[in-house]
Amino acid sequence: MKSLIAFYNILKKDITNYYLKPPNISWGIIFPLSWTMMQLLRSVDSSILELLPGLISTSVLFGTTSMLAVTITFERSGRSFERLLLAPISLNTLMLAKITGTILFGMFNAFVPIIFAGFFINLSDINWIIVILAVFLIAVTSSLMGLLIAVSAQQVFEAQTISNFFRFPMLFLCGLFIPISSLPVFLKPLSYCLPLTYGADILKGAITSNNSFSYTLCFVMLLIFTVGLFTVSKYAIEKKQNQ
Amino acid sequence: MTMICVKNLTKKYGNFTAVDDISFDVKKGEIFGFLGPNGAGKTSTINMMIGLLKPNSGKITINEIDVIKQAKKAQEIMGIVADESNLYNEMDGFANLCFCGALYGMGKKERESKARELLKLFRLQDAGNRPFKAYSKGMKRKLTIAAALIHSPEMLFLDEPTTGIDVESSRQIRELILQLKNQGTTIFITTHYIEEAERLCDRIAFIVQGKIVASGTVFQLMNNVSHSHNINLITNKDVQDYTTALQKRFKEITVTVKKPDELVIKTAKRIPLLPILKFLHEKDIEVYEAKEIHPSLEDVFVKLTGIETSVLQKEKGGF
Ligand SMILES: Nc1ncnc2c1ncn2[C@@H]1O[C@H](COP(=O)(O)OP(=O)(O)O)[C@@H](O)[C@H]1O
Ligand SMILES: [Mg+2]
């Protein structure tokens, strides 16, 4: 019960202090929107439907990692993050509370291109349950990557730079824009080590039935990444306390 | 009853030893102070005691809970004030206090009424709905202390609570610390102000370069250092001509003239004054005032640590 009160209030504070602040709200809408428009204008020949998995993944990836760089790195530099570490709640509860806000924000980001696409094309053939599950797991894994970066970086700027170092290569290796089969051989193993590869593949399957792996494999891989990243992030936070 | 027990605590940053094998106890209900210059290892020690920093070796128990193994359990009874005022800039005073209450699992009604009570106690009612970033340094400090008290902790840690803030806020903070002690809270405080330590603490430990040089009550610390007893005598007339006679008559004293009508008598041990007064009286000199001059805690600190007080007063990053 006590942990639940703490969890809920940390989440509520993050949402009101950060996520609902005008600059972040507009970033959450404008970034996916402009990315969507850019892609639509650039590739007139491909259908909106084919672009949708990439747009959704990009929006979630950028939304989540950017926000954690702010909500954690910012609080760490102002030292209010110490309060959370010193509260009588487990590190698991604290990490869950911190990433839940980001996951919700990421999912909100994902629906910007979907709603936008809904104005132009018929989306009724899409398997929504699978899409929502995939969006959720992409948001979870990206948030955890963001968490790992945020606890390792010292400043917001540094966190953003490190994020970009990972985000852009990831987008091009995950099979969304360049099929994995046409990547150079030495890059292929790298693709299979990215959670986004599996998330994007599920989205492709649910939206255009054009997936390379089975849903089961992808979901299992995403769950493995979730547990793995959570453990590594937790270890990173604990290690900081030993300096 | 012991509240805190620290044994052979050591913290190293790389090759540098910031806290060097220190041991001490804090009794329930007392104010225990760490007095030392910047860089002495005060913050490192406090951070280990609250479970924020892992020691390289040593043991810490708080209320018999092992802080290193069961930090979360120990933290339930701790109120913590870091060396910086670290609340949330975007939130107002009231919301900040309520949030901190929620971190300790307090229900909404309970934390709101406690927050209002604390705002009043710290004379911050009017600032309750202003964002923290709009507060003055002294107000920020007060709210940070209030936030540490929201869950009525048994044990309060204060890391330099009055450093760098205005005189009036400092005074209020010291008053509140004494009030808390009277209500039964055990307090561990670090400071580099000798006067603050002397006024607040039941017991003080001098910490220099990661080591405890001396510890005890102010009285014990004073007696720890061998010092002479000085008595100041104020008389009714010029006594300079009689000092030699006085010195000759009383071998165990050293007489110095401070002013023509003021003498300082120095002795190794306390001696009765009447013979001296009588001797002077016979010479037609009346003593109006006789006062023992005690060494100050400052003198004791300088003697024990070899650190000049000017060094102690230096603020972090200061001149
Ligand atoms: N994270 C750290 N890394 C390296 N050295 C540190 C670190 N924190 C503190 N120190 C050093 O340890 C010593 C003790 O610091 P600190 O505990 O902050 O002292 P105080 O609080 O008494 O001023 C100082 O010399 C300081 O420079
Ligand atoms: Mg300090």
Side-chain angles (χ1 to χ4, degrees), chain A residues 243, chain B residues 13 16 18 37-44 316:
Chain A
Q243 318 240 338
Chain B
Y13 299 108
F16 176 73
N38 263 318
K42 301 185 294 297
T43 299
S44 301
K316 204 167 252 173

Short mmCIF file of all heavy atoms in Angstrom, two decimals, chain A residues 243, chain B residues 13 16 18 37-44 316, ligand 1:
data_model
loop_
_atom_site.label_atom_id
_atom_site.label_comp_id
_atom_site.label_asym_id
_atom_site.label_seq_id
_atom_site.Cartn_x
_atom_site.Cartn_y
_atom_site.Cartn_z
N GLN A 243 30.27 4.47 -6.41
CA GLN A 243 31.22 5.37 -7.07
C GLN A 243 32.55 4.70 -7.30
O GLN A 243 33.51 5.02 -6.62
CB GLN A 243 31.45 6.64 -6.26
CG GLN A 243 30.18 7.18 -5.69
CD GLN A 243 29.87 8.57 -6.14
OE1 GLN A 243 30.73 9.30 -6.56
NE2 GLN A 243 28.62 8.93 -6.14
N TYR B 13 37.62 7.25 -2.36
CA TYR B 13 37.30 7.60 -3.75
C TYR B 13 38.59 7.35 -4.52
O TYR B 13 39.52 8.14 -4.43
CB TYR B 13 36.90 9.06 -3.89
CG TYR B 13 35.66 9.46 -3.09
CD1 TYR B 13 35.76 10.25 -1.96
CD2 TYR B 13 34.40 9.05 -3.52
CE1 TYR B 13 34.63 10.63 -1.25
CE2 TYR B 13 33.26 9.42 -2.80
CZ TYR B 13 33.39 10.20 -1.67
OH TYR B 13 32.27 10.58 -0.98
N PHE B 16 42.05 7.98 -2.83
CA PHE B 16 41.91 9.00 -1.79
C PHE B 16 40.96 8.53 -0.69
O PHE B 16 39.84 8.12 -0.96
CB PHE B 16 41.40 10.29 -2.43
CG PHE B 16 41.13 11.37 -1.45
CD1 PHE B 16 42.17 12.03 -0.83
CD2 PHE B 16 39.82 11.73 -1.13
CE1 PHE B 16 41.92 13.03 0.09
CE2 PHE B 16 39.56 12.74 -0.22
CZ PHE B 16 40.61 13.38 0.39
N ALA B 18 38.55 9.43 2.00
CA ALA B 18 37.78 10.59 2.45
C ALA B 18 37.31 10.42 3.88
O ALA B 18 37.21 11.38 4.64
CB ALA B 18 36.59 10.83 1.53
N PRO B 37 36.31 21.33 8.91
CA PRO B 37 36.40 22.22 7.75
C PRO B 37 35.88 21.55 6.47
O PRO B 37 35.59 20.36 6.48
CB PRO B 37 37.90 22.50 7.64
CG PRO B 37 38.55 21.30 8.25
CD PRO B 37 37.63 20.83 9.32
N ASN B 38 35.79 22.31 5.41
CA ASN B 38 35.38 21.75 4.12
C ASN B 38 36.31 20.65 3.68
O ASN B 38 37.52 20.77 3.83
CB ASN B 38 35.38 22.85 3.06
CG ASN B 38 33.99 23.39 2.87
OD1 ASN B 38 33.03 22.63 2.83
ND2 ASN B 38 33.88 24.69 2.76
N GLY B 39 35.73 19.58 3.18
CA GLY B 39 36.55 18.48 2.68
C GLY B 39 36.98 17.51 3.77
O GLY B 39 37.75 16.59 3.53
N ALA B 40 36.48 17.71 5.00
CA ALA B 40 36.87 16.85 6.11
C ALA B 40 36.28 15.44 6.00
O ALA B 40 36.80 14.50 6.58
CB ALA B 40 36.44 17.49 7.43
N GLY B 41 35.18 15.33 5.25
CA GLY B 41 34.53 14.02 5.12
C GLY B 41 33.16 13.97 5.79
O GLY B 41 32.61 12.90 5.99
N LYS B 42 32.60 15.13 6.12
CA LYS B 42 31.31 15.18 6.81
C LYS B 42 30.19 14.63 5.91
O LYS B 42 29.42 13.77 6.32
CB LYS B 42 30.99 16.62 7.23
CG LYS B 42 32.02 17.25 8.15
CD LYS B 42 31.61 18.63 8.63
CE LYS B 42 31.52 19.69 7.55
NZ LYS B 42 32.79 19.99 6.87
N THR B 43 30.11 15.16 4.68
CA THR B 43 29.05 14.74 3.78
C THR B 43 29.19 13.26 3.40
O THR B 43 28.21 12.53 3.36
CB THR B 43 29.02 15.63 2.52
OG1 THR B 43 28.78 16.97 2.95
CG2 THR B 43 27.94 15.21 1.55
N SER B 44 30.42 12.83 3.17
CA SER B 44 30.64 11.42 2.84
C SER B 44 30.13 10.53 3.97
O SER B 44 29.48 9.52 3.74
CB SER B 44 32.11 11.14 2.59
OG SER B 44 32.59 11.95 1.54
N LYS B 316 32.36 26.68 1.02
CA LYS B 316 32.72 25.87 -0.14
C LYS B 316 32.83 26.77 -1.37
O LYS B 316 31.99 27.61 -1.62
CB LYS B 316 31.64 24.80 -0.38
CG LYS B 316 32.19 23.63 -1.14
CD LYS B 316 31.22 22.47 -1.08
CE LYS B 316 31.77 21.38 -0.19
NZ LYS B 316 30.82 20.32 0.03
N1 LIG C 1 32.47 11.65 -5.53
C1 LIG C 1 33.69 11.98 -5.12
N2 LIG C 1 34.77 11.64 -5.85
C2 LIG C 1 36.01 11.95 -5.44
N3 LIG C 1 36.29 12.65 -4.34
C3 LIG C 1 35.26 13.05 -3.57
C4 LIG C 1 33.91 12.74 -3.92
N4 LIG C 1 33.10 13.25 -2.98
C5 LIG C 1 33.91 13.86 -2.08
N5 LIG C 1 35.20 13.74 -2.43
C6 LIG C 1 36.36 14.24 -1.67
O1 LIG C 1 36.32 13.67 -0.38
C7 LIG C 1 36.67 14.63 0.60
C8 LIG C 1 35.56 14.74 1.62
O2 LIG C 1 34.44 15.34 1.02
P1 LIG C 1 33.10 15.62 1.81
O3 LIG C 1 32.66 14.37 2.46
O4 LIG C 1 32.15 16.26 0.87
O5 LIG C 1 33.59 16.65 2.91
P2 LIG C 1 32.78 17.77 3.71
O6 LIG C 1 31.33 17.47 3.62
O7 LIG C 1 33.31 17.66 5.10
O8 LIG C 1 33.12 19.09 3.09
C9 LIG C 1 36.95 15.93 -0.14
O9 LIG C 1 38.33 16.05 -0.29
C10 LIG C 1 36.28 15.76 -1.46
O10 LIG C 1 36.96 16.45 -2.46
#
